[in-house]
Amino acid sequence: LPETSKYVSNQVITSKYTWLTFVPKNIWEQLHKFGNVYFLVISIIMYLGEKTPLFVGTIKAFSTLGLLMMMMSITAAMSLFDDLQRKKADAEINSTSAQVVSSKRDPIDRSKRWDQVAVGDIVIVRKDEEFPADVVPLYCSGEGGNCYVS
């Protein structure tokens, strides 16, 4: 078997954020929406009208900026909830057990978590079991040796 330490982990990660990157990434994503940028620019212009003699601002900037922050906060909360659901699904998939043949000399199958399956492991997949797309079928006990993947 090849040395597995030089390969990446088999761990499934579909979440977009970590606790450190959530705020900057989420703000970056939200500022790519035209509506958010528009209201941010309007708020800045309104603030300049309040604090400088450039023009007379009749509406206070906090009203527009406050509404923008509220909407961005709600969107951020929804993104956080979705990401936590992704992390939960990832943990469920990673903790699913797979039957792996330990070695050619001692062909005993043992249970291993999917995130611990390494390059070169021989995985036993039974009928109607789910498995990742990077698993190559070597043998199939189906009729005529056919293997159907759906």
Side-chain angles (χ1 to χ4, degrees), residues 39-58:
F39 283 107
L40 182 62
V41 169
I42 292 297
S43 297
I44 291 169
I45 291 171
M46 290 168 68
Y47 181 77
L48 289 174
E50 286 177 31
K51 302 297 180 187
T52 64
L54 290 173
F55 61 92
V56 177
T58 57

Side-chain angles (χ1 to χ4, degrees), residues 76-95:
M78 289 175 22
S79 294
L80 179 63
F81 178 75
D82 289 345
D83 204 58
L84 290 174
Q85 295 302 314
R86 279 191 215 103
K87 284 182 192 273
K88 184 178 176 184
D90 292 348
E92 186 177 320
I93 289 170
N94 288 329
S95 65

Side-chain angles (χ1 to χ4, degrees), residues 93-140:
I93 289 170
N94 288 329
S95 65
T96 303
S97 65
Q99 292 301 113
V100 179
V101 176
S102 21
S103 72
K104 290 182 180 180
R105 286 181 234 148
D106 187 20
I108 299 172
D109 49 321
R110 60 186 177 97
S111 185
K112 213 179 199 186
R113 289 171 40 117
W114 269 115
D115 61 349
Q116 296 171 342
V117 173
V119 173
D121 283 349
I122 298 173
V123 180
I124 299 172
V125 180
R126 296 195 175 17
K127 183 178 180 179
D128 296 330
E129 283 185 358
E130 291 185 10
F131 59 90
D134 61 350
V135 172
V136 178
L138 299 176
Y139 173 79
C140 181

Side-chain angles (χ1 to χ4, degrees), residues 3-102:
E3 184 184 326
T4 58
S5 63
K6 63 183 175 182
Y7 297 105
V8 296
S9 167
N10 198 39
Q11 186 176 21
V12 174
I13 301 173
T14 60
S15 58
K16 295 194 300 188
Y17 309 110
T18 65
W19 290 109
L20 292 174
T21 63
F22 176 74
V23 172
K25 266 188 172 180
N26 191 268
I27 290 172
W28 179 254
E29 287 173 2
Q30 290 198 44
L31 289 178
H32 279 80
K33 296 177 184 173
F34 177 76
N36 291 346
V37 173
Y38 173 79
F39 283 107
L40 182 62
V41 169
I42 292 297
S43 297
I44 291 169
I45 291 171
M46 290 168 68
Y47 181 77
L48 289 174
E50 286 177 31
K51 302 297 180 187
T52 64
L54 290 173
F55 61 92
V56 177
T58 57
I59 302 173
K60 301 294 182 197
F62 77 88
S63 62
T64 306
L65 188 61
L67 187 60
L68 175 64
M69 291 299 121
M70 182 184 73
M71 294 306 294
M72 287 178 70
S73 297
I74 290 170
T75 304
M78 289 175 22
S79 294
L80 179 63
F81 178 75
D82 289 345
D83 204 58
L84 290 174
Q85 295 302 314
R86 279 191 215 103
K87 284 182 192 273
K88 184 178 176 184
D90 292 348
E92 186 177 320
I93 289 170
N94 288 329
S95 65
T96 303
S97 65
Q99 292 301 113
V100 179
V101 176
S102 21

